Amino acid sequence: MQAGPIPDISVALPGSAERADLRKTSQAFEAIFVRQLLAAARASSVAGDSFLNGPGLQQFTAMRDEHFARIAADSGAFGLAAAIERQLAAHIAGQGG
């Protein structure tokens, strides 16, 4: 099952630029969270060190995790960005600007 982009949430902010910034920031936070989740899962792996686990492979793994995290955040696969955006938009709208 493949998730689509994050749905637009109908809590109105004063301007669309603010809403776009809020969405972008929420997605960036989700990407950081997913990247940390992947790193923690990899660190707990029982695979152990081998001759194939050098700095080049570690760099590639970090880049792959970052790319996956960005795709997951942009697609809304986990839904964390949408929840963050919804909560912050309600808070900002409640302050009157």
Side-chain angles (χ1 to χ4, degrees):
M1 183 169 143
Q2 192 173 20
I6 295 175
D8 191 15
I9 303 165
S10 62
V11 176
L13 289 179
S16 61
E18 289 89 358
R19 188 54 181 242
D21 287 344
L22 183 57
R23 177 168 297 201
K24 184 177 178 182
T25 303
S26 298
Q27 288 174 332
F29 181 82
E30 182 173 345
I32 291 168
F33 179 79
V34 171
R35 195 167 50 244
Q36 292 295 320
L37 185 70
L38 291 170
R42 196 171 319 291
S44 68
S45 174
V46 294
D49 292 332
S50 72
F51 69 94
L52 295 175
N53 194 16
L57 181 61
Q58 291 173 356
Q59 180 65 33
F60 173 76
T61 301
M63 290 171 41
R64 183 186 60 203
D65 288 353
E66 185 167 342
H67 183 69
F68 173 76
R70 172 56 44 205
I71 289 171
D74 288 347
S75 71
F78 292 98
L80 183 61
I84 291 169
E85 181 182 354
R86 185 173 40 254
Q87 289 293 318
L88 292 176
H91 178 71
I92 292 170
Q95 289 182 349

